[in-house]
Amino acid sequence: MKLALSLLLVTLALCCSDANAEVCPALGKEVISFVMGTKTGFNNQIQKFDAPQAAKQAKLKVKTCVDNLSIQDRLSVLRFLAKVNSECNK
């Protein structure tokens, strides 16, 4: 559950900054893929971003941990993220 909390805090920080409170659609798709998708699907999703390969590999390692969460925990994370999204996009 610590991993889920860390993910939620990072997402909240990225989505609700004072500079722009609107959630980027690409970030939303990436987070959903990160929480619910397959490792292969998530890898395809992050290849769109111009990030160092080492960063992408590190994110895939974390994805492996997320894949060990129960489906109930993953759905709880998504429900929370939906609330964050609705609050940030007001």
Side-chain angles (χ1 to χ4, degrees):
M1 204 56 185
K2 291 178 186 178
L3 177 63
L5 180 59
S6 298
L7 173 65
L8 295 176
L9 292 175
V10 168
T11 303
L12 184 60
L14 291 173
C15 292
C16 292
S17 70
D18 289 336
N20 183 357
E22 206 166 302
V23 176
C24 171
L27 176 64
K29 288 179 184 177
E30 181 195 344
V31 170
I32 291 170
S33 179
F34 183 75
V35 175
M36 298 300 289
T38 64
K39 190 173 182 180
T40 302
F42 179 68
N43 185 37
N44 292 338
Q45 183 78 22
I46 63 173
Q47 293 307 318
K48 299 179 201 175
F49 300 105
D50 186 28
Q53 194 61 32
K56 292 176 185 177
Q57 291 302 317
K59 201 156 188 179
L60 287 171
K61 283 184 182 180
V62 176
K63 171 69 175 137
T64 302
C65 295
V66 170
D67 288 346
N68 291 326
L69 292 173
S70 70
I71 191 68
Q72 292 85 6
D73 287 343
R74 291 184 197 196
L75 291 172
S76 294
V77 169
L78 285 182
R79 281 191 295 273
F80 177 79
L81 292 174
K83 288 180 184 178
V84 169
N85 186 35
S86 67
E87 288 295 317
C88 290
N89 288 335
K90 281 186 177 179

